[in-house]
Amino acid sequence: MRRTRAAAAAVTASLLAAAVTACGGGTADSGAGSNAAPKELTYWASNQGPDLAADQAVLGPELKKFEERTGIKVKLEVVPWSDLLNRILAATASGQGPDVLNIGNTWSSSLQATGALLPWNAENFAAIGGKDRFVESAIGSAGAAGQDPAAVPLYSMAYALYYNKKMFQEAGVAKPPATWDEMVTTGRLLSKDGKWALGAEGGNLSNNIHQVFVLAKQHGADFFDAAGRPTFDSPGAVDAVKQYVDLMAKDEIIAPGNAEYAQNQSLQDFANGKTAMVLWQSAASTFKSHGMKEGDWGVAPVPVPAGGAPGAGRGTNSMVAGINLAVFKNTDNIAGSLKFVQFMTSDEEQRILNKTYGSVPPVKAAQSDAAFATEDLTVLRTTLGTSAAPLPQVPQESQFETAVGTAVKELFADAAAGRPVTTESVKAKLGKAQQQMAS
Amino acid sequence: MSTGSRVSTTSPRLRRSALPYLLLLPALLLELLIHLLPMVMGILMSFRRLTQFFIRDWSRAPWTGWANYELVLDVDRPVGEALLRSFLTTCLFTLLSVGLCWLLGTAAAVFMQESFRGRGLLRALFLVPYALPVYAAVITWAFMFQRDNGLVNHVLHDQLGLGGPEHTFWLLGDNSFWALLTVSVWKGWPFAFLIVTAALQNIPGELYEAAALDGAGIWQQIRRITLPSVGAVNQVLVLVLFLWTFNDFNTPFVLFGKSAPAAADLISLHIYQSSFVTWNFGAGSAMSVLLLLFLLLVTAGYLLVTSRGRRSRHV
């Protein structure tokens, strides 16, 4: 009986301890990081390659290199894009996250507002070689203006128009469209015999946002005003969304089936010769993984309005895309985390990783490598440098992606089902999304 | 020493009376930890303006009283209107899904009572959907429902020539409700089959023999013997199916992703999406509390009615 009582007491004590720990979870992360576990790090990498295994194959040897140099073991987890934001949010709420993680650069301000990420002040930047090593536009997408960045740029990307050279040749089209009018006329030549001119990911909320953001810029509009208030249903924004959905609804150069695409099926269709063009960021490695050979596709800047040319303002033809590297403030290995960020953003690693992923290094010194002077990357680099704009750096950015991205998804569903997509229906959907944000 | 002898006389009694509570204690503590504590936290959150600014320490979020409840119950505004639509969709969906699961499960269980060759194999096949991991099964359905490359359209349109040559969208628009219902019934009916089968096996064979001798046909036997005998089991079965279906999150989430089409916007996914669209976890918590109250009311009402029914039968 004494043994029973002792066991019961032990169970009770351990349960109470667990309860107390669980309750304390919310406050345990309130302090800054420590160096309690200097020999290990957990790293959440975003899915950059064709699949999770490919990312592990790319990052594995590099992390081994880091371990050999510093003695710090890095536990890697590659997180799919669809899960990443929620995983970060859960980690933020529980305080039980990784030490270092990748974030989409468009989420920087939203995640900065949670206060969970280490601010990159002068001291932290000094530990990784200084802020000046990075391209300015990339730093501009790492947090709200006037505050210390919440992350450090890792991979930079921009949108470009990828086109299938053979399909263009067969349709007698000499060059890729440079304006939206040309896109529609060229598109009609290419959309025949079960093949389509342009691919889209109608069910992918982020992709929808990227596309309509650029079109809104071209219409002289934005989705937030200067004070950071949502202006989703402004006339320019409505025109932009309608123009994008009309590529399926009215112009009929996007296949209706694309309305349900959300897992990069449009890239597969492009590689299989079902669609002739896609608007994408750094897609080369994915095309190769689907069996295309270098030279099968061409790269051109994303179209702009008639009479215009890629540039600032109405000439904007891409968002500043990219991945940033952040450190959770409550890490148990702050010194090691800084070392790891320094390693990943070193000139050498920047060349290796960006070359592999087909992205552009946000570190100036690494950009000079000959590997980044290919046709693809020259277009992307020029776009980033001259005609790309960052998505609004406001705390509600990630809500905006979901709310407006869903509205565009629903409009694509209407278009696919043959229901009319009118200025009024677009305005109503965007108005609803705005009210959701304001509530 | 006298003290020692006194202890030895009272302690066995004390021990006897304390033992049940002691044995219950771990379960009670776990219940407190796993269910009650999060529930209380959820209720407290529903009275706060909990956004991303306070997610690291929600106790700092400003107290807003009933504001979240007013927001989600105001059907003239988008948040309330969408919640009401989602609630009604979920009610209809649950009604159809539970009804079909019960009907299919019971019919199959009655059919499988007869001994025939291959019965074991068929029974195992029936239980496959119940044994498969939900994610794997539902993702397979998602592939099958794809418009251009899916098996469903291939069979319906290309092979059977139903609905014309133009392929149907199953994962977008109004059809998504039927796609979701199909997967839900496919996933749920084997459980009903299993439970009803177990209940049927408890009915003595003599009852059927006697009924047959008295000239009762198969329908009379089902109505007069089978259904009343499995009544108590059915009551629990329907309640469990109702709760599972009403709260089902996995099926719509895997089938449609984080934003389901309006026609298939079940309430669990809707609450998840509402919380994460606006990162307004306070409003999301208010919706969850309302859902919990509704389910408690329905369950209590159901148990009251069914237990009264049982009592009156015994009388």
Side-chain angles (χ1 to χ4, degrees), chain A residues 77-165:
Chain A
E77 188 180 345
V78 184
V79 184
W81 270 109
S82 50
D83 295 348
L84 189 58
L85 189 58
N86 283 350
R87 290 279 299 273
I88 297 173
L89 219 54
T92 304
S94 67
Q96 307 294 318
D99 300 286
V100 186
L101 72 160
N102 284 6
I103 62 172
N105 68 352
T106 61
W107 306 335
S108 296
S109 289
S110 292
L111 294 175
Q112 186 176 34
T114 67
L117 302 181
L118 184 78
W120 285 85
N121 54 21
E123 189 191 338
N124 289 334
F125 261 121
I128 63 164
K131 196 176 181 176
D132 299 342
R133 293 180 61 240
F134 297 90
V135 176
E136 210 172 310
S137 67
I139 287 285
S141 304
Q147 292 184 40
D148 286 329
V152 172
L154 183 63
Y155 313 123
S156 284
M157 290 177 248
Y159 272 85
L161 173 70
Y162 290 85
Y163 61 97
N164 184 316
K165 287 182 178 170

Side-chain angles (χ1 to χ4, degrees), chain A residues 160-194:
Chain A
L161 173 70
Y162 290 85
Y163 61 97
N164 184 316
K165 287 182 178 170
K166 194 168 153 226
M167 287 174 78
F168 266 54
Q169 216 171 11
E170 284 168 0
V173 182
K175 60 180 181 56
T179 66
W180 289 107
D181 291 343
E182 284 175 27
M183 169 65 95
V184 174
T185 44
T186 306
R188 287 192 176 135
L189 291 174
L190 289 157
S191 299
K192 58 181 180 191
D193 307 327

Side-chain angles (χ1 to χ4, degrees), chain A residues 338-403:
Chain A
L338 290 176
K339 269 187 206 160
F340 183 64
V341 176
Q342 184 190 21
F343 171 79
M344 293 290 277
T345 56
S346 66
D347 297 355
E348 179 199 351
E349 283 307 307
Q350 280 286 295
R351 282 192 203 102
I352 296 171
L353 293 171
N354 282 288
K355 213 184 283 182
T356 313
Y357 287 132
S359 46
V360 179
V363 170
K364 292 174 199 163
Q367 278 193 358
S368 57
D369 193 293
F372 303 111
T374 59
E375 186 200 353
D376 286 33
L377 291 178
T378 305
V379 173
L380 298 182
R381 232 168 358 114
T382 313
T383 303
L384 265 179
T386 58
S387 56
L391 281 178
Q393 291 290 314
V394 292
Q396 309 99 309
E397 200 284 329
S398 71
Q399 295 100 300
F400 153 64
E401 281 194 26
T402 320

Side-chain angles (χ1 to χ4, degrees), chain B residues 44-56:
Chain B
L44 289 176
M45 281 178 192
S46 71
F47 292 104
R48 289 174 187 273
R49 181 154 182 79
L50 183 57
T51 59
Q52 73 264 43
F53 295 101
F54 305 101
I55 189 173
R56 286 177 72 221

Side-chain angles (χ1 to χ4, degrees), chain A residues 255-278:
Chain A
N258 285 204
E260 64 179 17
Y261 282 9
Q263 309 289 339
N264 301 352
Q265 295 99 319
S266 62
L267 297 187
Q268 233 164 330
D269 283 357
F270 180 81
N272 296 338
K274 282 188 192 168
T275 44
M277 294 178 275
V278 279

